[in-house]
Amino acid sequence: MKKFSTLLAAVLLVSSLLAAPASAAGSSAPETPQGDGYILQLRPDAALPDGAALEACYAPQGLYTAQYPAQVLELLGTQAVEYFEPNYRVALQGRVSDPYYSQQWNLRALDAEQVWNAPVSASGIRVALIDSGLSLTHEDLQGVDILVEDGVNLLTGSHDLTDKTGHGTFIAGVLAAARNNGKGIAGMIDGITIVPLKCFGEEIDTSIAYIVAAIYKAVDHYHCGIINLSLGLQTDAKSLREAVAYADSKNVLLISSTGNTGTERLLYPAAYDCVIGVGSVGRDGQVSDFSERNKSVFITAPGEDILGLSMAGDREYKQGSGTSFAAPHVTALAAVARGYDPEITADKFRLLLAASAYPCSGSASEYGCGIVNAGRFVDYLTSGTPSAADFPDLDGHWARVEAERGLRRSLFHGVSDTAFAPDARMTRAMLVQLLYNLEGNPVTGAAGFSDVPKTAWYHDAVAWAVAHSLVTGTEDRRFLPDDAVTREQLAVILWRYARYKQADVSQSAPLDGFADAAAVSAYARTALEWAGAAGVIGGVSATQLDPQGAATRAQAATVFNRLLPILEGQTPQQAFAAAAAR
């Protein structure tokens, strides 16, 4: 049993930053800078005036820093400045508690063995850690490929990576601690090249200029395809926004922590659309109390009581909690994706990440698209199954992720090689075929309907569904395979199927809250009351149920994805917790 050291530290908080960015035209520098002076961008055709006492932030992009208001005012008079803003302070997003666990529940919950055993090599994939440096002599970083060159330390312009806070060392351990070396812990991913860009000294916050410069350097100088940013600030700084947009334009995958105040407060860069914001869950699959709840949360990952490396000693370990420590789990999957497909786009990575996640029942502001499922992610990445990315009519569609989940489970198929038709009506034949696919296409007898010939693609599905009393035909022995399925018919058939699978269908919620509840047919009321209570089928709005409306393929995909956990007898959070407890 290892002896774990105790690290006493306060929660890492973001400084209050009130000043907004200012454009050069018609502006004057504030009397007192907020942060560490100012960050300026020169116009593309402007040269740095002789004698200007500025320091380069990232000269190739025309970015410089100034310490005093007079320096900014002098330059504004030359019309050389595109914009200026405070050189804000940026904070790390991890917090530490006393260590008391000796096992990595997070790796079991995410099924990390699937990552290790995947037919994928992440060898040579460069991952930038913009953080506080590394304890390079730690026993669990020996054998890990870490790039150390002049200029990696942005604070001093040197190659001194000494970690003064322990934050970067912890992140590196979660991501890539050496595995099968008989020491310490295992990281999420093997073989990557870590590019540490040290931007924090002895404090838990730093100037935004260092972060901005590090992003550009990671892309232009170190050629990193992935950047981990376990940090944040409250202000939407133009310099940071443009830096992450530049990285995104170069097809760099950007992953960031969302923050640790448990509020709706937005932090940047996680709040930028091109950045994957990662929130935190505990081993019970519930969102951590400290994890932010807002639109920046794209996905969640383990972030409580995570075992990692300590800077206190080369053989020391500790436990930490924070969205900072959730982010590298997603960063590891980005490396897996790039190892399998070096040209994978950020859009496709996001799609696979979202579709493979545990689709939690909580709000999107808490869970985003769910909890990371590394095992399923690897399956989806390597399966070769048609993807939503293959169907142009799913681009930008609200049900794109739901369609992807259906495609990956082979429940849904496109209506052609290039069309999914998400808004097309769901027919009776399509619906029974979905259920039949879910059952694994068992052997059946004859369908027995005049309009269901033996050569029809849906014949066996209809025969199976009728045999198990899931659907019926008309009195004159017709099935009407091309008829649209109404929303209430969809509820009835799924209710029957759930009973057939011996799932609990005892839940019931009154329909009185819907203005059109009277339009529900008597035979469908019980099924709709169950579907509403179980979260399988809701209203089309807060007041409209639309029971007689035709169900679309997109709606059907969504409903089926909601039904699957019920058939499995546990919620996604319970499935996650069970995996963590293995």
Side-chain angles (χ1 to χ4, degrees):
M1 177 78 88
K2 269 193 186 64
K3 180 181 179 182
F4 297 114
S5 64
T6 300
L7 181 66
L8 300 177
V11 176
L12 301 180
L13 301 175
V14 177
S15 302
S16 177
L17 304 170
L18 304 177
S23 63
S27 300
S28 60
E31 293 182 5
T32 303
Q34 306 224 1
D36 297 335
Y38 306 97
I39 186 168
L40 309 91
Q41 183 176 53
L42 301 185
R43 292 195 168 100
D45 56 349
L48 189 64
D50 293 337
L54 302 180
E55 291 189 11
C57 169
Y58 192 70
Q61 291 288 330
L63 292 169
Y64 294 85
T65 59
Q67 188 65 37
Y68 303 108
Q71 296 172 281
V72 179
L73 287 171
E74 181 181 355
L75 282 173
L76 289 180
T78 69
Q79 300 298 311
V81 178
E82 182 71 34
Y83 73 86
F84 72 89
E85 61 187 350
N87 188 5
Y88 297 109
R89 301 292 292 182
V90 184
L92 299 170
Q93 292 297 308
R95 62 186 192 178
V96 180
S97 62
D98 294 337
Y100 56 94
Y101 290 107
S102 61
Q103 297 185 10
Q104 293 173 274
W105 70 267
N106 51 314
L107 299 187
R108 297 193 305 277
L110 298 185
D111 197 10
E113 288 188 10
Q114 285 285 87
V115 177
W116 301 333
N117 297 326
V120 178
S121 173
S123 178
I125 300 298
R126 290 193 172 194
V127 179
L129 296 188
I130 298 179
D131 218 286
S132 61
L134 295 177
S135 294
L136 293 173
T137 58
H138 197 286
E139 64 176 1
D140 239 351
L141 290 179
Q142 304 312 301
V144 178
D145 187 13
I146 301 174
L147 187 65
V148 182
E149 297 178 4
D150 290 343
V152 174
N153 185 325
L154 277 294
L155 303 172
T156 63
S158 70
H159 58 273
D160 178 10
L161 295 175
T162 304
D163 189 355
K164 298 295 183 64
T165 70
H167 192 269
T169 300
F170 198 103
I171 298 291
V174 175
L175 178 64
R179 188 167 61 90
N180 291 333
N181 63 349
K183 301 173 184 177
I185 64 172
M188 273 285 293
I189 187 71
D190 301 326
I192 63 170
T193 297
I194 294 179
V195 181
L197 296 163
K198 178 177 168 66
C199 295
F200 295 82
E202 297 182 356
E203 305 296 330
I204 53 104
D205 62 354
T206 194
S207 300
I208 193 175
Y210 296 128
I211 305 300
V212 170
I215 293 172
Y216 285 115
K217 282 182 175 290
V219 178
D220 292 342
H221 184 72
Y222 296 107
H223 309 294
C224 298
I226 302 163
I227 299 178
N228 187 95
L229 294 151
S230 290
L231 48 86
L233 75 159
Q234 296 179 43
T235 303
D236 177 9
K238 185 174 182 179
S239 54
L240 180 62
R241 187 184 340 124
E242 291 188 347
V244 297
Y246 177 78
D248 180 61
S249 73
K250 300 296 185 180
N251 201 27
V252 173
L253 306 180
L254 297 131
I255 296 93
S256 178
S257 52
T258 56
N260 297 331
T261 66
T263 68
E264 297 179 357
R265 183 187 66 176
L266 288 173
L267 285 187
Y268 301 89
Y272 295 127
D273 289 343
C274 62
V275 177
I276 296 172
V278 185
S280 169
V281 294
R283 67 181 66 207
D284 58 358
Q286 300 301 315
V287 172
S288 304
D289 290 342
F290 56 78
S291 189
E292 307 294 18
R293 289 148 167 81
N294 55 49
K295 67 177 183 179
S296 73
V297 181
F298 179 79
I299 200 166
T300 54
E304 290 184 37
D305 301 327
I306 304 300
L307 190 60
L309 313 185
S310 172
M311 72 169 197
D314 293 346
R315 298 180 179 179
E316 299 293 334
Y317 299 82
K318 66 184 181 187
Q319 281 193 309
S321 296
T323 57
S324 270
F325 310 141
H329 294 95
V330 178
T331 300
L333 294 188
V336 172
R338 277 284 156 85
Y340 184 76
D341 178 5
E343 302 302 321
I344 193 169
T345 64
D347 178 66
K348 187 170 183 180
F349 174 65
R350 283 171 171 269
L351 181 62
L352 289 176
L353 198 62
S356 61
Y358 290 95
C360 299
S361 56
S363 70
S365 64
E366 294 178 316
Y367 288 97
C369 54
I371 306 174
V372 167
N373 186 327
R376 189 181 294 163
F377 176 86
V378 170
D379 286 342
Y380 286 9
L381 177 69
T382 60
S383 68
T385 303
S387 165
D390 299 324
F391 299 109
D393 58 355
L394 284 171
D395 287 350
H397 196 279
W398 65 266
R400 191 180 189 216
V401 170
E402 303 294 353
E404 178 76 12
R405 287 173 173 153
L407 287 165
R408 292 292 176 174
R409 294 183 174 102
S410 296
L411 299 179
F412 273 84
H413 303 282
V415 298
S416 72
D417 290 341
T418 58
F420 185 85
D423 298 317
R425 64 181 188 171
M426 193 72 185
T427 67
R428 286 167 56 82
M430 289 177 182
L431 179 56
V432 295
Q433 185 66 47
L434 273 177
L435 295 174
Y436 188 59
N437 291 344
L438 197 57
E439 284 296 298
N441 308 119
V443 176
T444 65
F449 293 107
S450 60
D451 55 355
V452 182
K454 290 184 178 180
T455 56
W457 57 268
Y458 47 82
H459 173 274
D460 291 351
V462 173
W464 168 82
V466 171
H468 294 287
S469 302
L470 302 181
V471 295
T472 58
T474 64
E475 292 182 358
D476 59 353
R477 300 303 297 166
R478 290 183 301 146
F479 180 69
L480 307 177
D482 296 324
D483 275 17
V485 176
T486 65
R487 287 168 50 81
E488 69 175 16
Q489 289 170 347
L490 179 62
V492 169
I493 293 172
L494 295 186
W495 176 70
R496 291 173 180 169
Y497 181 64
R499 287 197 308 170
Y500 163 69
K501 299 297 289 184
Q502 299 183 334
D504 181 7
V505 293
S506 62
Q507 291 176 281
S508 181
L511 305 177
D512 301 344
F514 296 105
D516 55 353
V520 176
S521 301
Y523 81 92
R525 182 167 291 274
T526 298
L528 273 171
E529 289 175 341
W530 161 77
V536 174
I537 299 178
V540 295
S541 71
T543 59
Q544 296 294 313
L545 185 59
D546 191 25
Q548 305 303 326
T552 66
R553 283 169 55 82
Q555 290 172 345
T558 302
V559 166
F560 266 76
N561 287 321
R562 294 173 180 172
L563 177 67
L564 290 178
I566 295 173
L567 301 181
E568 295 165 356
Q570 56 185 352
T571 67
Q573 286 97 325
Q574 289 170 334
F576 177 86
R582 286 202 302 263

